[in-house]
Amino acid sequence: MYNNEKSLKLFQKRKDILAKKDILPQELLDLAEFAFKNQFKAFNSSSSVLPQDLKLAPVNEVISGKPLLARSSFPYDFEASLKLFHILLDYLKNSSGPIKASAEIIESEIKKDPELVRVAFEKYLEADDHFFRIFGEKTPESPRTLNFLAQTSITPSIAGITDKLNLALPQNHTWTFGHCPVCGSLPYISSLQGKEGARHLHCSFCHTDYRFLRMVCPFCDEKKEACFEYFTVKEHPGFRVDVCKTCNMYMKTIDFRQLDKKNLPILDDLESLTLDIMARNEGYNRPTLSAWGF
Ligand SMILES: [Zn+2]
Ligand SMILES: [Zn+2]
């Protein structure tokens, strides 16, 4: 995503169209655009050198389900991530509404504990959501602010490492399990691509796009057709919500093949927030946070 300059142009073009539609608050769209633009800069300035002693799983084990490198073992460029963290924190401090107050609280917590940002990055790598939920009690009006900051600022560095790691894996392979072959995390959204509508999953941590089987639940491996349902709403053309009645999970699927629109999963996830609310109201769950950490 960040290795292609076209994604940035596409983000800005689609954001302008979205702003006219009144689906999402303008402040949220502006924040997303600011964050995405600065993620690009951070991606280009992050070091993505793989440490010599990095232990990767053998490819045959990855094909049978072991991640190439568990997310908790991912190296990352701390300085570049820290810089982006403070750029985003400053932006939030200059915004209005509850998130401004949360940003000010986070800044004063960093003054008390200068290691807080490093700890937040490590907890994010370890997928320790408990840490962020407890911290969120200090910023009750926007409890996911620290998670948003940590995730958004470390992601470009992780993406640079992922681009290198991906070279070790077979390309155009159809994976037979739902988790990401690179890092082992769960996907946050899926898309149908190409003439035959190949199903691709998009990793919630390293953003790898990997092909997966069409009629299998990526969360519980259910294969019985009768267990799957989906719904669409006319306000969100090109999106559908796939649900699995066995594990009660749902996943949004992007299918822009009939539309004059290019998909960009990180923005597609934000654009279709209403569908998450609808799916939850129907009693279905999503095992991952949004692509933005909230
Ligand atoms: Zn991944
Ligand atoms: Zn399932």
Side-chain angles (χ1 to χ4, degrees):
M1 172 167 56
Y2 306 104
N3 55 14
N4 183 352
E5 283 294 323
K6 283 184 190 156
S7 322
L8 186 56
K9 287 206 178 76
L10 177 61
F11 191 101
Q12 284 163 334
K13 188 179 147 199
R14 282 194 42 198
K15 181 238 166 187
D16 291 341
I17 298 170
L18 209 50
K20 289 188 192 112
K21 284 193 183 157
D22 223 18
I23 301 175
L24 295 168
Q26 186 64 39
E27 307 84 70
L28 183 60
L29 287 172
D30 290 341
L31 170 61
E33 184 182 30
F34 180 82
F36 196 62
K37 233 191 255 175
N38 283 285
Q39 282 187 316
F40 250 85
K41 284 189 199 154
F43 177 83
N44 288 317
S45 62
S46 294
S47 158
S48 55
V49 178
L50 300 183
Q52 296 272 322
D53 57 351
L54 204 58
K55 284 202 176 52
L56 302 181
V59 173
N60 62 326
E61 288 183 21
V62 179
I63 287 176
S64 24
K66 192 172 180 186
L68 183 63
L69 182 69
R71 63 183 273 176
S72 56
S73 305
F74 262 63
Y76 70 100
D77 184 334
F78 176 72
E79 291 305 325
S81 306
L82 182 68
K83 189 176 163 199
L84 180 54
F85 186 100
H86 282 287
I87 290 172
L88 295 169
L89 185 61
D90 283 346
Y91 180 90
L92 296 184
K93 269 166 44 200
N94 291 313
S95 65
S96 53
I99 207 155
K100 176 186 170 71
S102 299
E104 284 164 353
I105 292 167
I106 290 171
E107 187 175 53
S108 72
E109 290 294 319
I110 294 171
K111 282 200 181 111
K112 278 190 250 166
D113 175 11
E115 284 299 295
L116 177 63
V117 183
R118 190 188 294 275
V119 172
F121 286 150
E122 272 154 31
K123 296 292 182 188
Y124 173 68
L125 289 181
E126 289 160 15
D128 181 354
D129 203 51
H130 181 72
F131 167 81
F132 292 103
R133 272 187 277 121
I134 297 291
F135 188 90
E137 289 171 9
K138 296 183 204 278
T139 60
E141 284 179 273
S142 45
R144 304 293 321 179
T145 308
L146 182 64
N147 191 74
F148 160 77
L149 288 166
Q151 175 169 335
T152 308
S153 46
I154 201 173
T155 292
S157 176
I158 298 296
I161 297 291
T162 303
D163 284 348
K164 295 261 170 71
L165 292 177
N166 252 314
L167 300 174
L169 294 180
Q171 306 300 304
N172 305 316
H173 182 72
T174 300
W175 300 89
T176 54
F177 43 81
H179 61 261
C180 171
V182 179
C183 73
S185 303
L186 290 173
Y188 70 98
I189 205 162
S190 75
S191 61
L192 301 183
Q193 299 178 16
K195 270 198 195 104
E196 79 275 37
R199 183 190 195 190
H200 287 245
L201 303 179
H202 301 272
C203 175
S204 56
F205 174 73
C206 74
H207 291 267
T208 291
D209 160 335
Y210 53 104
R211 188 167 174 179
F212 182 59
L213 303 164
R214 201 61 203 257
M215 293 304 288
V216 178
C217 172
F219 304 125
C220 74
D221 206 35
E222 180 59 82
K223 295 177 180 72
K224 283 194 279 311
E225 217 180 314
C227 299
F228 304 133
E229 275 178 12
Y230 72 89
F231 69 85
T232 56
V233 292
K234 70 173 187 319
E235 291 78 13
H236 286 288
F239 289 97
R240 71 168 204 231
V241 177
D242 286 296
V243 305
C244 170
K245 298 211 276 192
T246 304
C247 65
N248 232 31
M249 295 291 176
Y250 75 90
M251 179 173 277
K252 295 185 292 188
T253 298
I254 312 154
D255 183 6
F256 292 169
R257 290 174 299 153
Q258 306 296 325
L259 303 174
D260 178 25
K261 187 169 176 175
K262 284 202 176 70
N263 73 314
L264 186 59
I266 195 167
L267 183 58
D268 300 329
D269 192 31
L270 192 64
E271 178 174 335
S272 55
L273 265 177
T274 324
L275 294 175
D276 291 283
I277 297 165
M278 291 172 80
R280 287 197 182 112
N281 287 344
E282 293 291 317
Y284 294 103
N285 299 308
R286 163 176 169 156
T288 62
L289 296 166
S290 85
W292 303 85
F294 47 76

